[in-house]
């Protein structure tokens, strides 16, 4: 058996969540499928070694080269497939890794498009793209039960949950599985200093709050910055550090509104490079642990939008790995756990005073802080990559698919592919 993990984001020293997930997926499959040959295909020149001796890493330079790699393998796993995957539809088993609620996120990204006609056309092309992906897939995985409800509903509407599919698998667990984003083993170890005494304005004795990820449209960095203005009134030893601004997959950066807005607000409030600091760039993956090891609390805030309900905050898993208590806003499934177990403090979206109080609680209530840290041990075990990826390992090992037969799906697949290509082409030509 030959398994291909087809990465749709950069994999290497600099990588975002898409690349990290592909990297660990390929690693675990190589570890747990000794009978298989596993390949990780990436869109960039790999600048890190393979994480396992039996894992081959290759670069696909263009879609045709990617198709060549797909033709050489039996099982193909990807976050999304190009239309060229039609060539291998009847011959391969295809697993679709929809670990984020793409349609909801794309609605937020569409806010960057000012002309209403073009914005609607872009959203329509994305919807057709998702329909194509779901029709192509022999197995669909996602990050939580809420996301699973989205995809089961979408599959039902598309006619892909037929009576035969239901009869064979009434829970649909073999067709739509939950595979959360995983946590690395162990815990980051302190190494060379990267923050305290290194970044001008952050002292050795300061308490660092880390926003460990990018700033996108659905996040609310301004609430955290305004909360820092409140905290700074009573403590001058608390510093907020934004870890990443220029995403390696170019989905965000200082050219986009949200990071610029956050930077500008920190300047207006007199906090910039006094209490609030920005890393302009992206921290290499193997260095993230050093930043977390010097931090005291993880912070993240999101707006009260549809995205929050279906999110699985991938940035939180690194905070779990480092056993850093978290202050966040409510809405997503991990925020519910942070509040209930507890793993930190969760507050209402947009509530600046409550966010500031949450920070101060974790800073000043040492017993509560340590309780949150202890509780993270169980979460780390539950969300280890080796455990969460087991359903995908089982799918690769099995020779079966619980999706509707490829013959039943073929004509709808061709129609949905055509709709996507026409709409995408129209949008690329700049038509409204």
């Amino acid at each position: 058996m030959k398994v291909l993990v087809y990465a749709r984001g950069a994999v290497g020293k600099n990588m975002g969540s898409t690349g990290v997930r592909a990297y660990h997926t390929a690693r675990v499959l190589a570890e747990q499928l000794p009978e298989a040959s596993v390949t990780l295909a990436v869109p960039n020149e790999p600048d890190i070694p393979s994480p396992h001796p039996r894992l081959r890493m290759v670069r696909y330079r263009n879609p045709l080269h990617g198709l060549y790699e797909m033709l050489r393998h039996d099982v193909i796993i990807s976050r999304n497939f190009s239309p060229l995957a039609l060539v291998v539809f009847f011959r391969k088993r295809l697993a679709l890794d929809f670990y984020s609620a793409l349609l909801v996120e794309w609605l937020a990204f569409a806010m960057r498009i000012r002309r209403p006609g073009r914005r609607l056309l872009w959203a329509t092309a994305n919807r057709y793209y998702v329909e194509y992906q779901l029709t192509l897939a022999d197995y669909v995985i996602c990050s939580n039960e809420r996301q699973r409800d989205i995809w089961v509903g979408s599959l039902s509407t598309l006619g892909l949950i037929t009576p035969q599919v239901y009869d064979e698998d009434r829970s649909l667990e073999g067709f739509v599985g939950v595979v959360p984003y995983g946590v690395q083993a162990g815990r980051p170890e302190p190494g060379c200093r990267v923050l305290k005494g290194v970044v001008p304005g952050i002292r050795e004795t300061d308490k660092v709050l880390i926003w460990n990820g990018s700033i996108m449209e659905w996040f609310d960095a301004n609430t955290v910055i305004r909360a820092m203005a409140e905290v700074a009134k009573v403590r001058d030893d608390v510093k907020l550090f934004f870890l990443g601004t220029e995403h390696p997959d170019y989905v965000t950066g200082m050219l986009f509104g949200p990071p610029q807005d956050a930077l500008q607000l920190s300047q207006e409030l007199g906090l910039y490079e006094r209490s609030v600091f920005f890393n302009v760039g992206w921290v290499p993956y193997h260095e993230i642990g050093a930043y977390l090891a010097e931090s005291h609390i993880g912070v993240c805030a999101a707006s009260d939008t549809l995205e929050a309900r279906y999110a699985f905050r991938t940035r939180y898993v690194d905070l779990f790995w480092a056993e850093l208590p978290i202050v966040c806003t409510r809405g997503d499934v991990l925020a519910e756990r942070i509040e209930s177990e507890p793993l930190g403090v969760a507050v209402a979206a947009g509530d600046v005073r409550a966010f500031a109080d949450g920070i101060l609680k974790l800073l000043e209530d040492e017993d509560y802080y340590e309780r949150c840290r202890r509780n993270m041990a169980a979460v780390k075990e539950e969300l280890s990559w080796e455990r969460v990826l087991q359903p995908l390992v089982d799918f690769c090992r099995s020779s079966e698919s619980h999706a509707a037969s490829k013959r039943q799906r073929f004509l709808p697949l061709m129609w949905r592919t055509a709709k996507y290509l026409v709409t995408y082409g129209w949008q690329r030509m700049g038509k409204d």
Side-chain angles (χ1 to χ4, degrees), residues 135-151:
T135 310
L136 187 76
D138 298 302
Y139 184 47
V140 180
I141 59 175
C142 56
S143 288
N144 58 51
E145 292 292 343
R146 292 181 187 177
Q147 290 181 8
R148 187 171 187 268
D149 288 342
I150 291 179
W151 302 129

Side-chain angles (χ1 to χ4, degrees), residues 8-10 14-19 79-80 99-100 102 105-113 122 126 213-219 244-260 281-282 314-315:
R8 301 294 282 182
N14 290 330
M15 52 183 170
S17 60
T18 300
R79 184 174 185 260
N80 48 343
Y99 74 91
S100 60
L102 292 176
E105 291 185 359
W106 286 339
L107 285 172
F109 280 137
M111 295 170 65
R112 299 175 183 178
I113 303 173
W122 190 81
N126 286 332
S214 55
I215 308 171
M216 295 186 183
E217 275 76 358
W218 49 85
F219 289 120
T245 51
E246 301 290 342
H247 197 284
D249 295 329
Y250 307 106
V251 295
T252 191
M254 296 308 291
L255 294 177
F256 297 105
Q260 282 187 333
W282 197 258
T314 56
R315 64 190 61 205

Side-chain angles (χ1 to χ4, degrees), residues 402-422:
H402 292 273
S405 71
K406 291 182 184 282
R407 186 179 299 275
Q408 286 179 301
R409 285 183 279 152
F410 181 65
L411 288 179
L413 177 62
M414 296 299 292
W415 169 238
R416 287 160 188 163
T417 305
K419 285 198 302 181
Y420 163 67
L421 291 174
V422 169

Side-chain angles (χ1 to χ4, degrees), residues 144-277:
N144 58 51
E145 292 292 343
R146 292 181 187 177
Q147 290 181 8
R148 187 171 187 268
D149 288 342
I150 291 179
W151 302 129
V152 169
S154 299
L155 290 162
S156 299
T157 302
L158 293 172
L160 296 170
I161 300 178
T162 64
Q164 183 180 1
V165 169
Y166 179 75
D167 288 345
E168 291 180 359
D169 180 13
R170 295 188 181 184
S171 70
L172 298 182
E173 293 289 346
F175 183 19
V176 186
V178 175
V179 178
Y181 200 90
V183 179
Q184 299 181 63
R187 185 177 171 185
E189 296 294 332
C192 295
R193 289 287 192 179
V194 291
L195 286 173
K196 296 182 177 181
V198 176
V199 175
I202 301 181
R203 300 166 298 198
E204 291 278 356
T205 56
D206 285 340
K207 300 292 187 181
V208 176
L209 316 181
I210 191 162
W211 175 292
N212 62 316
S214 55
I215 308 171
M216 295 186 183
E217 275 76 358
W218 49 85
F219 289 120
D220 181 14
N222 288 359
T223 285
V224 185
I225 293 169
R226 293 185 188 281
M228 278 299 299
E230 298 299 314
V231 172
K233 293 176 182 178
V234 294
R235 295 188 61 155
D236 67 354
D237 64 336
V238 182
K239 306 298 169 65
L240 169 62
F241 188 79
F242 286 90
L243 188 62
T245 51
E246 301 290 342
H247 197 284
D249 295 329
Y250 307 106
V251 295
T252 191
M254 296 308 291
L255 294 177
F256 297 105
Q260 282 187 333
D261 292 344
L263 178 64
Q264 182 177 348
L265 178 64
S266 70
Q267 293 171 332
E268 291 173 356
L269 296 177
L271 303 175
Y272 181 65
E273 295 189 343
R274 294 178 59 195
S275 299
V276 178
F277 302 81

